[in-house]
Amino acid sequence: MKNVIGIFALVFTFSAFAQKDASIRIYPDGGKQIISKHIYGQFAEHLGSCIYGGLWVGEDSDIPNTQGYRTDVLNALKELRIPNLRWPGGCFADEYHWMDGIGPKQNRPKMVNNNWGGTIEDNSFGTHEFLNLCELLGCEPYISGNVGSGTVEELAKWVEYMTSDGDSPMANLRRKNGRDKAWKVKFLGVGNESWGCGGSMRPEYYADLYRRYATYCRNYDGNQLFKIASGASDYDYNWTETLMKNIGGRMNGLSLHYYTVTGWNGSKGSATQFEPDDYYWTMGKCLEIEDVVRKHIAIMDKYDPRKNVGLMVDEWGTWWDTEPGTNPGHLFQQNTMRDAFVAALTLNVFHKYTDRIKMANIAQIVNVLQSMILTKGPKMVLTPTYYVFDMYKVHQEATYLPLDLICEKRMVKGNREVPMVSASASKDANGIIHVSLANVDLENVQTLSIDLEGRKINQVNGRILSSATINDCNTFDHPDKVKPQGFDGAKVKKGMLEVTLPAQSIVVLEIR
Ligand code: AHR
């Protein structure tokens, strides 16, 4: 294919398309890898109003609910076809003792949520409430186990409680608490950020602990656990190296956390008040994830050339200053078109490495960091990021299609080079090709020619997400400011697609 690409690039340089701003060649028959739907995973932590007020209001609430879950949020989330949901943390997971969250609610002990503002946690949302929510959403549960302050016995019993259908002590306790049939639990995280809030461990020590904990997390009654080791943060390649060397095939997945954040100390910048320079900085930082995953993957390839161990980016997204007037420990932030771009660009990167990246979980689902949904009392808004997940869901379980992209690149604040167009393509089970495109440029329209290697194009539909300014967001007073619209800027011309991408827009095309 290399030669073909070379010739193609040359032809483009001198052909009639030279004056176009950007061009893409998609290889409709060149794809072998399926884009795992689990790349579209979500994360719900006991943090601020993610669980309480966001997902769960309880059956006695005035806010319309379905068995205690907010009906408006539930319905909006169903639309996204969420493949998996990670819970109960995050940092919270390593202080969580699951037995406090089962049985009659009035008997459940309270605890202090030390990581997140010292809020009192009453444990009214526990294992049953979480696993039943996953059933309602039709998604796989991803349980994050307590390695930092728990015991091997505690985690082993949790697995038994959730998944054993036999006459076992924990299965009987579950039955006593009202659930006869075991749940299926696929994903099990053995600790979270064990280098930090999950125990401040060295990788060698954690690797041994992983081996010990994982040994006793059993597969009961046809339930097959996919065990995920607590992985590196950002650029910590030594963590990945040490775990690959010392855990290897004993894990099914190795996690990675990467936030688009200015730094961990001091102000992270306002979620809504920012300048174009800050926006471009954000694009550069977000795209740096490609270099980071590539380096972690290279280490994994050395120890696991057959790619048996998945790279699970189980926390990612933007991290800004909390909204003025809110509890700083609750990480409630607004979500603008800038966040939508971070989602679009990052998902495009994940698709590209889908042979190794088997899961990703944006942080977090409701009311925390880069959320899908924000709530305030009975009000709810869908964020620009929600709409990217909605538009992009067509890529789930579709075949990844390789492509070549030629476009303008710009040096931005932070000394990073940012291409002005981002693109990804896939072919679904019905042969329909979807192309996700982002015109990162704040000012210029991109005229894009898309070549599908001569494949006949019968019909093109599209949706576009854009807004007057990049700072635009949906508020409780104006919930519909940013919303996808139908897109008619794609035309078939001489067998190719010509797409007019407005400045600062995200488009998903459906090509039949
Ligand atoms: O998502 C918020 C926090 O970020 C998580 O609890 C932790 O794992 C990470 O540091």
Side-chain angles (χ1 to χ4, degrees):
M1 192 174 284
K2 243 193 183 141
N3 280 346
V4 180
I5 297 168
I7 293 164
F8 177 77
L10 207 68
V11 169
F12 252 74
T13 313
F14 298 110
S15 76
F17 299 108
Q19 72 270 37
K20 303 294 182 189
D21 294 316
S23 61
I24 298 178
R25 169 169 276 203
I26 297 171
Y27 299 93
D29 301 311
K32 292 186 197 77
Q33 299 293 332
I34 300 293
I35 297 173
S36 171
K37 64 180 177 184
H38 291 296
I39 283 174
Y40 287 80
Q42 297 283 339
F43 173 29
E45 179 165 10
H46 287 243
L47 196 181
S49 51
C50 181
I51 303 288
Y52 302 108
L55 291 166
W56 174 259
V57 285
E59 280 151 334
D60 300 333
S61 173
D62 291 340
I63 297 174
N65 66 84
T66 311
Q67 299 155 40
Y69 310 99
R70 287 182 73 120
T71 306
D72 51 357
V73 171
L74 203 57
N75 288 340
L77 292 177
K78 278 182 187 163
E79 283 295 308
L80 292 186
R81 278 192 237 138
I82 293 173
N84 71 76
L85 183 57
R86 181 170 182 250
W87 175 86
C91 296
F92 180 80
D94 279 293
E95 287 201 68
Y96 182 63
H97 299 285
W98 69 272
M99 284 217 179
D100 295 346
I102 55 169
K105 293 205 191 216
Q106 66 277 14
N107 298 343
R108 297 186 190 178
K110 293 190 170 61
M111 68 177 279
V112 182
N113 191 336
N114 291 307
N115 285 289
W116 306 118
T119 305
I120 299 300
E121 162 69 54
D122 71 1
N123 279 306
S124 55
F125 188 95
T127 302
H128 289 246
E129 290 75 20
F130 172 67
L131 292 174
N132 292 343
L133 170 64
C134 291
E135 284 187 342
L136 285 171
L137 291 173
C139 71
E140 302 275 5
Y142 174 6
I143 294 284
S144 209
N146 180 347
V147 171
S149 70
T151 64
V152 176
E153 183 188 9
E154 184 183 13
L155 186 54
K157 282 185 167 166
W158 199 7
V159 172
E160 183 189 324
Y161 185 90
M162 294 183 287
T163 61
S164 164
D165 248 334
D167 185 21
S168 74
M170 288 300 109
N172 287 331
L173 180 59
R174 183 192 68 235
R175 290 185 189 106
K176 198 174 132 215
N177 288 331
R179 171 79 185 199
D180 183 30
K181 209 174 144 27
W183 292 278
K184 289 279 182 243
V185 173
K186 181 166 176 173
F187 299 111
L188 178 72
V190 182
N192 166 73
E193 297 196 349
S194 302
W195 39 264
C197 65
S200 306
M201 301 176 205
R202 292 171 306 114
E204 293 79 6
Y205 178 71
Y206 170 75
D208 280 346
L209 265 194
Y210 172 92
R211 293 165 68 123
R212 188 163 160 244
Y213 273 74
T215 302
Y216 301 99
C217 294
R218 313 277 189 194
N219 291 324
Y220 293 99
D221 303 306
N223 187 68
Q224 188 72 36
L225 291 171
F226 185 105
K227 296 175 192 166
I228 300 169
S230 165
S233 166
D234 311 271
Y235 314 91
D236 185 356
Y237 304 109
N238 179 51
W239 187 275
T240 296
E241 178 97 38
T242 309
L243 267 52
M244 287 305 294
K245 196 187 316 175
N246 294 307
I247 303 177
R250 285 180 162 87
M251 59 189 165
N252 304 108
L254 173 59
S255 79
L256 171 69
H257 291 180
Y258 184 91
Y259 283 99
T260 298
V261 59
T262 45
W264 296 107
N265 300 315
S267 168
K268 296 175 173 57
S270 161
T272 52
Q273 308 299 309
F274 55 88
E275 298 301 320
D277 261 8
D278 304 319
Y279 160 77
Y280 284 118
W281 176 89
T282 307
M283 297 301 103
K285 172 72 180 173
C286 127
L287 282 173
E288 194 163 271
I289 198 172
E290 176 156 9
D291 187 52
V292 171
V293 294
R294 231 194 255 139
K295 287 180 177 145
H296 286 285
I297 288 171
I299 297 165
M300 294 177 81
D301 284 350
K302 200 166 71 180
Y303 293 94
D304 173 34
R306 291 173 176 243
K307 299 189 189 285
N308 290 323
V309 180
L311 180 61
M312 327 297 268
V313 191
D314 60 13
E315 285 185 33
W316 68 274
T318 56
W319 194 318
W320 310 119
D321 288 343
T322 49
E323 278 303 289
T326 65
N327 184 331
H330 287 182
L331 310 187
F332 179 89
Q333 68 187 38
Q334 248 299 357
N335 195 298
T336 66
M337 272 303 291
R338 173 174 65 169
D339 298 87
F341 273 97
V342 171
L345 269 51
T346 307
L347 291 168
N348 285 351
V349 170
F350 290 160
H351 293 170
K352 197 166 158 191
Y353 299 92
T354 195
D355 60 339
R356 180 66 87 173
I357 300 181
K358 297 298 173 196
M359 177 191 275
N361 302 73
I362 189 167
Q364 300 190 6
I365 191 164
V366 187
N367 292 337
V368 171
L369 301 178
Q370 191 176 353
S371 299
M372 305 295 115
I373 293 175
L374 300 175
T375 66
K376 187 180 178 189
K379 293 186 177 177
M380 171 189 91
V381 296
L382 305 179
T383 65
T385 299
Y386 173 95
Y387 289 119
V388 171
F389 271 70
D390 190 39
M391 289 162 67
Y392 269 56
K393 68 188 177 196
V394 290
H395 289 302
Q396 292 187 22
E397 296 297 303
T399 304
Y400 171 75
L401 299 182
L403 57 78
D404 301 317
L405 165 66
I406 301 170
C407 69
E408 185 204 340
K409 291 181 180 160
R410 210 177 286 171
M411 284 307 287
V412 301
K413 183 173 152 190
N415 208 24
R416 296 184 179 101
E417 195 179 50
V418 172
M420 289 298 105
V421 176
S422 167
S424 185
S426 70
K427 183 161 65 176
D428 73 11
N430 299 316
I432 301 169
I433 292 176
H434 292 102
V435 187
S436 42
L437 301 162
N439 179 6
V440 171
D441 197 316
L442 289 179
E443 280 154 2
N444 300 307
V445 171
Q446 299 280 340
T447 310
L448 195 67
S449 57
I450 303 184
D451 179 356
L452 287 155
E453 286 200 300
R455 168 176 285 234
K456 189 163 169 0
I457 301 166
N458 295 315
Q459 202 190 330
V460 192
N461 299 314
R463 287 171 88 196
I464 182 167
L465 188 69
S466 191
S467 194
T469 78
I470 194 72
N471 309 69
D472 280 346
C473 59
N474 292 331
T475 64
F476 297 107
D477 293 330
H478 301 283
D480 291 327
K481 188 160 192 169
V482 185
K483 229 181 165 172
Q485 313 288 336
F487 178 69
D488 59 5
K491 304 269 175 285
V492 185
K493 277 196 187 157
K494 296 192 186 142
M496 310 247 285
L497 257 190
E498 202 172 280
V499 185
T500 307
L501 275 184
Q504 55 186 46
S505 66
I506 298 166
V507 165
V508 175
L509 297 175
E510 176 194 274
I511 305 169
R512 291 167 186 267

